Amino acid sequence: MTDLEEHEADGQWCVLLPCSDSEFWAVPQNALAEIVTLHAAPEQPPEELQWRSERVPVLDFGRDDDSRWRERVGGSGLVAVLLGLEGEGCDYWGVAVRGEGLAVRRVAPADVRDAPEAVAEHASAAFVLGGVTYQVPDLVALQRKIAASMAVA
């Protein structure tokens, strides 16, 4: 086994993001800039936030399914800020973290089952890990969509 094959067999560090009651994302750890805690947050996530002097648009996949965004005690909410690709219209963008299951984990191919039948419109793949279906979001396409909507606004 080559070093590359051995490295790939070990898996990749991923951030597992609960985005709604029915949608969970798996993104490479190096795509995450930061998990931002918004203290005394409103009932719904903001459409954008100021983060490190940057305007960060925020996607929310759970607005329509009653999934909890704020903590019951303390009232804080979380937004995962993702690194955008340079030259694609926004340097950073976020996604509201809703519900339980936020984690960082090494995901190895042996631990997952491919789930092509479950791929969401904005994802490039899906897999099942521990009984949960995770979407692998098409980060570039989502960033371009956000940038286009920012240009129109």
Side-chain angles (χ1 to χ4, degrees):
M1 182 179 285
T2 68
D3 288 342
L4 178 59
E5 289 170 330
E6 189 174 315
H7 176 71
E8 288 174 351
D10 287 344
Q12 177 174 354
W13 284 100
C14 292
V15 181
L16 305 178
L17 298 169
C19 298
S20 74
D21 282 342
S22 61
E23 184 157 342
F24 300 84
W25 283 13
V27 298
Q29 185 179 12
N30 62 1
L32 179 72
E34 185 173 333
I35 301 287
V36 176
T37 301
L38 300 176
H39 299 283
E43 287 296 321
Q44 296 296 327
E47 291 183 7
E48 67 179 42
L49 60 91
Q50 283 298 121
W51 173 76
R52 299 181 187 242
S53 301
E54 295 280 342
R55 177 180 163 217
V56 177
V58 177
L59 296 178
D60 181 14
F61 290 93
R63 190 170 301 272
D64 297 329
D65 70 6
D66 295 329
S67 56
R68 186 172 43 82
W69 179 61
R70 295 181 341 150
E71 292 294 320
R72 288 187 179 100
V73 177
S76 61
L78 301 176
V79 173
V81 177
L82 300 168
L83 301 167
L85 290 178
E86 191 172 331
E88 291 296 337
C90 58
D91 292 334
Y92 304 95
W93 55 280
V95 63
V97 176
R98 290 180 170 266
E100 304 295 321
L102 175 63
V104 176
R105 177 175 175 177
R106 184 182 295 270
V107 176
D111 298 335
V112 303
R113 179 181 57 79
D114 193 28
E117 72 285 354
V119 176
E121 178 182 334
H122 53 271
S124 57
F127 63 87
V128 177
L129 173 68
V132 177
T133 300
Y134 289 93
Q135 300 296 321
V136 179
D138 186 339
L139 299 175
V140 176
L142 286 166
Q143 180 185 358
R144 288 177 179 156
K145 183 176 180 180
I146 292 166
S149 69
M150 289 172 59
V152 171

